[in-house]
Amino acid sequence: MPSYKAPVRDMQFLLHEVLGFEDLQSFEAFSEVDRDLADAVLEQSSKFAEEVLAPLNIVGDHEGCTRHDDGSVTTPTGFKDAFKQMTENGWTGLSLDPEYGGQGMPGMLGIAASEMWSSANMAFAMYPGLTGGAIKAIHTGGSPEQKQTYLPKMIAGEWTGTMNLTEPHCGTDLGLLKTKAVPNGDGSYKISGQKIFISAGEHDMSDNIIHLVLARIEGAPAGTKGISLFIVPKFKLDENGNPGERNLVSCGSIEEKMGIHGNSTCVMNYDEAEGYLIGEENKGLRVMFVMMNEARIGVGLQGVGQSEVAYQNAVAYAKDRLQGRSLAGPKEADKPADPIIVHPDVRRMLMETKAFNEAGRALLYWAAKQEDVEKHSTDEKLVEKCDDYLGLLTPVVKGYLTDMSMKTTIDCQQIFGGHGFIEEWGMSQFVRDNRIALIYEGANGVQALDLVGRKLARNGGRALMTLNSEIAEFLKENKETEGLSEFMDGLSGAQKKLTEATMWLMQNGMSDPNNAGAGSVDYMHMMGLSILAYMWAQMAVVAQAAIDNGSNEDFYPNKLITGRYFMLRMLPMLDAHLAKIKTGAAPVMALDEAAF
Amino acid sequence: MPSYKAPVRDMQFLLHEVLGFEDLQSFEAFSEVDRDLADAVLEQSSKFAEEVLAPLNIVGDHEGCTRHDDGSVTTPTGFKDAFKQMTENGWTGLSLDPEYGGQGMPGMLGIAASEMWSSANMAFAMYPGLTGGAIKAIHTGGSPEQKQTYLPKMIAGEWTGTMNLTEPHCGTDLGLLKTKAVPNGDGSYKISGQKIFISAGEHDMSDNIIHLVLARIEGAPAGTKGISLFIVPKFKLDENGNPGERNLVSCGSIEEKMGIHGNSTCVMNYDEAEGYLIGEENKGLRVMFVMMNEARIGVGLQGVGQSEVAYQNAVAYAKDRLQGRSLAGPKEADKPADPIIVHPDVRRMLMETKAFNEAGRALLYWAAKQEDVEKHSTDEKLVEKCDDYLGLLTPVVKGYLTDMSMKTTIDCQQIFGGHGFIEEWGMSQFVRDNRIALIYEGANGVQALDLVGRKLARNGGRALMTLNSEIAEFLKENKETEGLSEFMDGLSGAQKKLTEATMWLMQNGMSDPNNAGAGSVDYMHMMGLSILAYMWAQMAVVAQAAIDNGSNEDFYPNKLITGRYFMLRMLPMLDAHLAKIKTGAAPVMALDEAAF
């Protein structure tokens, strides 16, 4: 059976040594969150992930969820108990608003804990994850009364939440949605329609399920300008705010999926269910997108989380499995064969995964810091910068990190040979679970289009210009540091190539928007490679300084070795992407539709 | 439910217009196999694939195989009947030796038919596929009596066959194998041991199962020099050569796998089972490798087959699914949205898959022709060339084509958005079934090492030199042809870069073999890209000539469009691979084993 060990040392390195977690103490809200407290949280969270969630991962995959004739859904053995433990220990509210019972920790710490849970058991972690999204939406758009009614119970994990966007005929294109809301005259609405792919839509883990539902109020404008957001609780609340009468929403079926079997993916039928408007009429997408952006970071996190656990198990196998001899002569001559980690191609796959995981994690925590600062700083310029960075990089976090985690989880599975294909070894599950991350919360191609078509040009390209200046400054400061030339050269080269791609898109995307569309995924990958190069360069500076300061922890030279792999063996992809972008739309669009 | 339509026009184009199928008529054995006959075979085979096999594909995935307490295995509903039809129509012997009841068609035609079956139902096609491998082994290494005893029944499909190599502790490294053979004194042996991952190891589709088993005769040398090959029938034969007494071999369990659920992957236990030596003692691997090479081509075929069926279904979905509007303005303004095939990134994925499939198929059929010529020509020089080409390119066919088909099947699944993740749409199955192709018959990393460590240098590098001369000649002949500049430039550039990589490996692989190992997969991809560029250039020459000769079939200009996509948007990967290779072993090998 696969296992998981939270990479706590790596997390501490990022939080405390590279990304300045302690900076957040300057904000009133986090003044007491010091290093010791953060480390205690990491420690406790890792135990919960390793001991409670990880053993249930393969159980969830194997059993899946079961829908009964009455529409109720049973989650896999152990899930309900684990969720109870999670709520009792306050994990569900870790970085949520203390005003409603949350623990008020920084998002930067919350994301580290979430990574652990997602690595240990992605399907399970989605239940609190989706609830977090629903909390965010109510927190952002709800009335004071709605917040008071729903948030404390949801933050405590007594109730869970869902997001209901997709309908059978509309996913990406929400303007097509048909679910209908008819005013009851008392401020509530009757919601009718069918929603599909609703993660955690129905289950047995909480006392109530708070569905957030996009619907169109009768007579609303067509398209995206006529969409409103509603709260539809599974059980309507009685006068004391407790779950009472059953609302007219039910799970029609659960989907048979490639992965995340432990999460119940439901078809939800709304049949004049009672719903309550969040925010203004026809402005539902605005609230939904606040939530979606956070969810997209969460999906990038799932990718890195699966890549990490796949890596750990592949390393264990590669050290244990004896097969063949090192090309450079036997390494363990007393054994019948060498462990397969001696083979360069096995190492190549491990190094690639390791180099990706460590920088991907850095990007995620860095993004979480931007969000913490944005939320708590009073420095307008700084807030603007954080918002710019998040806007620009959210599609990269979602799209690039999960494209890459697909590649790395497959590589880690490959290391197992035939055993990788057998379910009991668990590697197939990591690949299958990870697969959804490229699709939901906006398919990766849609992320790329969001990046190239919207985020890049917003405010005259301010976000990328600011980031480029920051990196230029960083390079200036560090370019002479001994031992770091590969990092500075790599980062500097990546910036130049990314700029070349950006210029090309700007010059050619205007005349034919398909030029931008045809190169969008390549561009997203270029930005992903560049930003990970920046993360590696920052980690390298810290590691080199520790060595120069006399540290004898192997951790630091090993960081440099891993980072050099990224610079030398992963950055060359930039040239391929750039060349593809510059071929423009013609090769992609030339074929007549009928000829496919 | 997904569907499949055999790409007969494309197959005809390759056989008759590009690759000179009719050349084979110059051989006595194929003198009557003309174009009409070949086309009739394609036609009939496509019907069988489309109407009988394709509808059973998802059934096989869903039901899987069932092992009963007595060790017997039931295949999914419909498989047994389909196999009966297959044998009754003579399909199992299509390109096999007429001396033993085969139909004696060229392998080049056989591979086209096999592609159809594999696209339609990969798990099913493995039953006759494995039998073909066992037939090949007996045909190559068996005594005249063994051939007479086993081949007619196996070719007729009355009996099926298996290949038993892997043991729990040994897959790639066959030198470690422990299965034991003890002479009975009458020429037969008692075979004891456990074999795992035995495809089609036990099932209900045939009257007997002929296991080919690698084992070590008592007292044989250690390592690969002490391995012999045995025939172990499930039922021993009575005096009339019919299945009689049950042999002491049984299926201990069947594996739960990520894909190919319709194929029974068995743990086979040999408990003093009666076995008969094929060929000489301790020379078993020699025979096994003849069979393995053919099997590796078959695995490359599986990759292209899954990529083709995934492509077809993705095209249908992309034309049908309405979502969003074209970046260049609405294409179907009367509908609520445009079909998603208008989006450049959807087209990018379809074009990439199409451009890969068509050239991958060309490479497979070209390889099959080399084998036909090698087998039947009396021109020694020509036979040598074909053998060289097959030796050099078999690892590329297996490793590169399946690495690529993993990417393309995932892309095709991605086009379905959330529906791609739901099993009933069938796209997940194509990805899951394809996944094994990167692993079995020698994992792709092992293919790359075989290429770089053995095949490249064999006979002083003769194979690649001959191929390079052939391509240089082709470029000389065609470089001035109007309309083909992208093809000739692309091919010529690919050749130069591949040569640079080859030189680098030669110069640096001697001093440190890990330099070769670390770049081996990148090199395999470079050779794959280069040889597909050659295939595309040849197809382009034919297509352009047809246009120049006044053809008004859209097929030809569309070929050129598809090929240009390959040249412009896929060949840029060469530069990334080359740069990675040239970083050498250091970045890959530097990290201490303990630091992973």
Side-chain angles (χ1 to χ4, degrees):
Chain A
M1 201 169 83
S3 67
Y4 171 68
K5 184 114 188 63
V8 174
R9 177 68 186 90
D10 247 57
M11 292 173 167
Q12 290 170 330
F13 173 67
L14 289 175
L15 293 179
H16 307 311
E17 300 175 62
V18 182
L19 297 174
F21 176 77
E22 286 73 12
D23 301 346
L24 300 175
Q25 281 194 267
S26 67
F27 302 126
E28 175 67 28
F30 304 136
S31 60
E32 290 174 27
V33 187
D34 61 10
R35 182 169 179 155
D36 284 348
L37 178 55
D39 286 352
V41 168
L42 292 181
E43 182 64 24
Q44 289 305 312
S45 170
S46 70
K47 276 194 189 156
F48 181 65
E50 294 164 8
E51 293 166 17
V52 180
L53 298 184
L56 294 176
N57 193 42
I58 207 164
V59 176
D61 185 58
H62 198 256
E63 288 185 17
C65 296
T66 310
R67 179 185 175 279
H68 307 284
D69 289 344
D70 64 357
S72 66
V73 170
T74 309
T75 51
T77 307
F79 272 43
K80 191 175 172 169
D81 282 350
F83 190 66
K84 192 153 172 272
Q85 281 189 56
M86 188 173 211
T87 58
E88 284 170 358
N89 291 315
W91 289 119
T92 50
L94 181 62
S95 55
L96 298 179
D97 192 345
E99 197 182 328
Y100 302 102
Q103 304 210 30
M105 294 286 135
M108 221 181 160
L109 191 56
I111 203 168
S114 289
E115 184 197 320
M116 296 176 188
W117 307 330
S118 195
S119 269
N121 195 327
M122 177 170 154
F124 177 91
M126 288 174 67
Y127 292 96
L130 269 299
T131 305
I135 288 169
K136 176 92 182 180
I138 295 173
H139 201 276
T140 303
S143 66
E145 197 198 332
Q146 286 173 333
K147 292 187 200 180
Q148 213 51 65
T149 305
Y150 297 101
L151 293 183
K153 299 281 194 183
M154 293 172 80
I155 286 174
E158 288 179 48
W159 302 348
T160 58
T162 71
M163 293 163 58
N164 290 240
L165 289 76
T166 307
E167 299 179 4
H169 62 287
C170 92
T172 302
D173 189 352
L174 290 171
L176 301 175
L177 77 78
K178 291 180 182 161
T179 296
K180 201 172 59 176
V182 181
N184 285 327
D186 62 355
S188 71
Y189 292 77
K190 283 194 178 67
I191 312 288
S192 300
Q194 188 176 64
K195 296 286 183 178
I196 63 170
F197 304 156
I198 307 309
S199 300
E202 179 60 54
H203 58 80
D204 55 0
M205 286 162 52
S206 64
D207 298 337
N208 205 355
I209 301 176
I210 310 304
H211 302 291
L212 293 197
V213 184
L214 288 182
R216 201 179 287 285
I217 297 173
E218 257 190 336
T224 53
K225 295 196 174 107
I227 297 175
S228 305
L229 182 62
F230 297 88
I231 294 175
V232 182
K234 173 179 169 184
F235 293 102
K236 292 192 261 187
L237 305 185
D238 65 19
E239 62 235 32
N240 301 318
N242 294 320
E245 189 191 344
R246 188 71 157 82
N247 207 344
L248 299 170
V249 48
S250 63
C251 164
S253 61
I254 54 179
E255 305 282 4
E256 297 272 341
K257 310 183 298 290
M258 185 176 181
I260 51 165
H261 296 160
N263 199 275
S264 63
T265 305
C266 301
V267 173
M268 297 302 296
N269 296 319
Y270 293 83
D271 185 16
E272 304 201 334
E274 195 168 294
Y276 320 105
L277 186 68
I278 299 187
E280 291 176 61
E281 285 187 13
N282 303 332
K283 300 277 168 66
L285 283 185
R286 203 178 290 177
V287 178
M288 202 51 126
F289 272 110
V290 171
M291 170 166 101
M292 287 280 281
N293 280 329
E294 195 163 289
R296 285 170 177 175
I297 303 281
V299 176
L301 185 72
Q302 291 181 321
V304 172
Q306 291 306 292
S307 185
E308 172 66 33
V309 68
Y311 167 79
Q312 291 184 12
N313 286 279
V315 166
Y317 189 83
K319 289 180 178 179
D320 183 62
R321 175 77 170 175
L322 306 179
Q323 206 80 180
R325 288 292 183 190
S326 162
L327 294 174
K331 291 278 184 217
E332 306 200 10
D334 55 324
K335 292 190 178 160
D338 288 334
I340 61 172
I341 200 168
V342 304
H343 301 305
D345 193 58
V346 170
R347 275 184 175 254
R348 176 187 64 82
M349 295 188 277
L350 291 176
M351 286 300 297
E352 186 115 349
T353 307
K354 182 174 168 66
F356 164 70
N357 290 351
E358 295 179 12
R361 176 177 299 119
L363 175 61
L364 286 159
Y365 295 9
W366 178 86
K369 186 179 184 185
Q370 307 305 314
E371 216 174 315
D372 283 329
V373 175
E374 187 195 7
K375 217 181 285 179
H376 294 279
S377 174
T378 52
D379 175 344
E380 277 179 36
K381 203 70 201 157
L382 185 59
V383 169
E384 178 185 282
K385 189 182 83 166
C386 292
D387 189 58
D388 279 355
Y389 283 179
L390 278 171
L392 182 70
L393 289 167
T394 294
V396 178
V397 166
K398 198 281 181 182
Y400 173 71
L401 294 186
T402 61
D403 272 359
M404 282 301 296
S405 67
M406 196 71 222
K407 183 180 179 309
T408 56
T409 51
I410 288 174
D411 275 354
C412 290
Q413 181 188 30
Q414 186 73 11
I415 289 171
F416 280 69
H419 299 278
F421 199 64
I422 307 298
E423 292 295 351
E424 75 176 287
W425 288 82
M427 300 305 287
S428 161
Q429 186 186 353
F430 301 139
V431 171
R432 290 185 291 97
D433 285 358
N434 182 76
R435 183 67 188 89
I436 190 60
L438 286 73
I439 298 173
Y440 61 15
E441 304 296 346
N444 286 0
V446 175
Q447 302 298 327
L449 203 59
D450 179 43
L451 173 65
V452 164
R454 298 222 307 263
K455 300 300 180 58
L456 205 53
R458 188 188 270 180
N459 299 312
R462 190 179 63 202
L464 185 55
M465 283 190 289
T466 311
L467 182 59
N468 278 339
S469 306
E470 178 181 322
I471 292 175
E473 192 61 32
F474 172 87
L475 283 168
K476 213 168 104 187
E477 271 170 39
N478 296 287
K479 71 178 173 202
E480 304 299 342
T481 313
E482 196 132 356
L484 298 182
S485 60
E486 288 106 332
F487 291 92
M488 300 308 147
D489 293 349
L491 176 58
S492 154
Q495 284 304 300
K496 286 201 190 83
K497 287 165 194 169
L498 180 67
T499 300
E500 193 178 336
T502 311
M503 298 301 286
W504 192 94
L505 288 177
M506 282 169 57
Q507 282 158 8
N508 298 280
M510 300 281 252
S511 58
D512 178 0
N514 283 332
N515 276 328
S520 56
V521 164
D522 286 297
Y523 185 80
M524 179 175 78
H525 276 248
M526 287 189 77
M527 192 173 280
L529 284 159
S530 302
I531 193 76
L532 290 207
Y534 182 38
M535 295 299 137
W536 265 122
Q538 292 177 79
M539 291 190 278
V541 166
V542 173
Q544 187 63 50
I547 294 166
D548 294 345
N549 290 330
S551 164
N552 56 10
E553 203 185 339
D554 285 343
F555 181 85
Y556 298 109
N558 289 337
K559 264 299 161 207
L560 294 175
I561 290 171
T562 308
R564 282 197 193 100
Y565 182 95
F566 183 88
M567 293 290 165
L568 297 174
R569 304 258 322 179
M570 296 176 77
L571 287 185
M573 282 301 294
L574 286 164
D575 299 288
H577 290 302
L578 181 58
K580 290 183 198 189
I581 289 169
K582 290 166 96 175
T583 63
V588 177
M589 304 304 288
L591 197 67
D592 192 74
E593 190 182 311
F596 279 93
Chain B
M1 200 170 84
S3 68
Y4 171 67
K5 184 112 187 66
V8 174
R9 177 69 187 89
D10 247 57
M11 293 172 166
Q12 290 171 329
F13 172 68
L14 289 175
L15 294 178
H16 306 311
E17 299 174 64
V18 182
L19 297 174
F21 176 78
E22 286 73 13
D23 301 347
L24 300 175
Q25 280 194 269
S26 67
F27 303 127
E28 176 67 27
F30 303 136
S31 60
E32 288 174 26
V33 187
D34 61 10
R35 181 167 179 156
D36 284 349
L37 178 55
D39 285 353
V41 168
L42 294 181
E43 182 63 23
Q44 288 306 311
S45 170
S46 70
K47 276 193 189 157
F48 181 65
E50 293 164 9
E51 294 166 16
V52 179
L53 298 184
L56 295 177
N57 193 43
I58 208 164
V59 176
D61 186 57
H62 197 256
E63 289 185 18
C65 296
T66 310
R67 179 184 176 277
H68 307 284
D69 289 343
D70 63 357
S72 66
V73 171
T74 309
T75 51
T77 307
F79 272 43
K80 191 174 172 170
D81 282 350
F83 191 67
K84 192 154 171 269
Q85 281 188 56
M86 189 173 209
T87 58
E88 284 171 357
N89 291 313
W91 289 120
T92 49
L94 182 63
S95 55
L96 298 179
D97 192 344
E99 197 182 328
Y100 302 102
Q103 303 211 29
M105 294 285 135
M108 221 181 160
L109 191 57
I111 203 168
S114 290
E115 183 197 321
M116 296 177 188
W117 307 330
S118 195
S119 269
N121 195 326
M122 178 170 153
F124 176 92
M126 289 174 66
Y127 293 96
L130 269 298
T131 305
I135 288 169
K136 176 92 181 181
I138 296 173
H139 200 276
T140 303
S143 66
E145 196 198 332
Q146 285 172 333
K147 292 187 201 182
Q148 212 54 62
T149 305
Y150 296 101
L151 293 183
K153 300 281 194 184
M154 293 174 80
I155 288 174
E158 288 178 49
W159 302 349
T160 58
T162 72
M163 292 163 57
N164 290 240
L165 288 75
T166 307
E167 299 179 5
H169 61 286
C170 92
T172 301
D173 189 351
L174 290 172
L176 302 175
L177 78 77
K178 292 180 181 163
T179 296
K180 199 172 59 174
V182 181
N184 285 326
D186 62 354
S188 71
Y189 291 78
K190 282 194 179 67
I191 312 288
S192 300
Q194 189 177 63
K195 296 287 182 177
I196 63 170
F197 304 156
I198 306 309
S199 300
E202 179 59 54
H203 57 80
D204 56 359
M205 287 163 52
S206 63
D207 298 337
N208 205 354
I209 302 176
I210 309 305
H211 301 292
L212 294 197
V213 185
L214 288 182
R216 202 179 285 286
I217 296 174
E218 259 191 333
T224 52
K225 293 196 176 107
I227 297 175
S228 305
L229 182 62
F230 298 88
I231 295 174
V232 182
K234 174 179 169 186
F235 294 101
K236 293 192 258 186
L237 305 184
D238 66 18
E239 63 236 31
N240 301 316
N242 294 319
E245 190 192 342
R246 188 72 156 83
N247 207 346
L248 298 170
V249 47
S250 62
C251 165
S253 61
I254 55 179
E255 305 282 3
E256 297 273 340
K257 310 183 298 289
M258 183 176 182
I260 53 165
H261 297 161
N263 200 277
S264 63
T265 305
C266 301
V267 173
M268 298 302 296
N269 295 319
Y270 293 83
D271 185 17
E272 305 203 332
E274 194 168 297
Y276 320 105
L277 184 69
I278 300 187
E280 293 175 60
E281 283 186 16
N282 303 332
K283 298 278 168 67
L285 284 184
R286 203 179 291 178
V287 177
M288 203 50 128
F289 272 110
V290 171
M291 173 167 100
M292 287 280 282
N293 279 329
E294 195 163 290
R296 285 171 177 176
I297 302 282
V299 176
L301 185 73
Q302 290 180 322
V304 172
Q306 291 307 292
S307 185
E308 171 67 33
V309 68
Y311 167 79
Q312 292 184 12
N313 286 280
V315 167
Y317 189 83
K319 289 181 179 180
D320 184 60
R321 176 77 170 174
L322 306 179
Q323 206 80 179
R325 289 294 183 188
S326 163
L327 296 174
K331 291 279 184 218
E332 306 200 9
D334 55 323
K335 292 190 178 158
D338 288 333
I340 61 172
I341 199 167
V342 304
H343 302 305
D345 192 59
V346 170
R347 275 185 176 253
R348 175 187 64 82
M349 294 189 277
L350 291 176
M351 286 300 297
E352 186 114 350
T353 308
K354 183 175 167 66
F356 164 70
N357 290 350
E358 295 178 13
R361 176 178 298 119
L363 175 60
L364 286 160
Y365 295 10
W366 177 87
K369 186 179 183 185
Q370 307 305 315
E371 214 173 316
D372 283 329
V373 174
E374 186 194 9
K375 217 181 284 178
H376 294 279
S377 173
T378 51
D379 175 343
E380 279 179 36
K381 201 74 199 156
L382 184 60
V383 168
E384 179 187 281
K385 188 182 84 167
C386 292
D387 189 58
D388 279 355
Y389 283 0
L390 279 171
L392 182 70
L393 289 167
T394 294
V396 178
V397 165
K398 198 283 181 182
Y400 173 71
L401 293 186
T402 61
D403 272 358
M404 283 300 297
S405 67
M406 196 70 222
K407 182 180 181 310
T408 56
T409 52
I410 288 173
D411 276 353
C412 289
Q413 180 189 29
Q414 186 74 11
I415 288 171
F416 281 68
H419 299 280
F421 199 64
I422 307 298
E423 292 294 351
E424 75 176 286
W425 289 82
M427 299 306 288
S428 161
Q429 186 186 353
F430 300 139
V431 171
R432 290 186 289 97
D433 285 358
N434 182 77
R435 183 67 188 89
I436 189 60
L438 285 72
I439 298 173
Y440 60 16
E441 304 298 345
N444 286 0
V446 175
Q447 301 299 325
L449 203 60
D450 179 44
L451 173 65
V452 164
R454 297 224 305 263
K455 299 302 180 58
L456 205 53
R458 188 189 271 180
N459 298 311
R462 189 178 66 201
L464 184 56
M465 284 191 285
T466 310
L467 181 60
N468 278 338
S469 305
E470 179 181 321
I471 293 175
E473 191 62 33
F474 171 86
L475 284 167
K476 212 167 106 187
E477 271 171 38
N478 296 288
K479 72 177 170 199
E480 303 299 343
T481 313
E482 196 132 355
L484 297 182
S485 61
E486 289 105 334
F487 292 93
M488 299 308 146
D489 293 350
L491 176 57
S492 154
Q495 283 304 298
K496 285 200 191 84
K497 287 164 194 168
L498 181 66
T499 300
E500 194 179 334
T502 310
M503 297 301 286
W504 192 94
L505 289 177
M506 281 168 58
Q507 283 158 10
N508 298 280
M510 299 280 253
S511 58
D512 179 359
N514 283 333
N515 277 327
S520 57
V521 163
D522 286 297
Y523 186 80
M524 178 174 77
H525 276 248
M526 288 190 77
M527 193 173 281
L529 284 159
S530 301
I531 193 77
L532 291 205
Y534 182 38
M535 295 299 137
W536 264 120
Q538 292 177 78
M539 291 191 278
V541 166
V542 173
Q544 187 62 50
I547 294 166
D548 294 345
N549 290 330
S551 165
N552 55 12
E553 205 186 337
D554 286 343
F555 182 85
Y556 298 108
N558 289 337
K559 265 298 160 207
L560 293 176
I561 290 171
T562 307
R564 281 196 193 100
Y565 181 95
F566 183 88
M567 294 289 165
L568 296 174
R569 302 255 327 175
M570 296 176 77
L571 286 185
M573 283 300 293
L574 286 165
D575 299 288
H577 291 303
L578 180 58
K580 290 183 198 187
I581 289 169
K582 289 165 98 174
T583 63
V588 177
M589 304 304 288
L591 197 67
D592 192 75
E593 190 182 310
F596 278 92

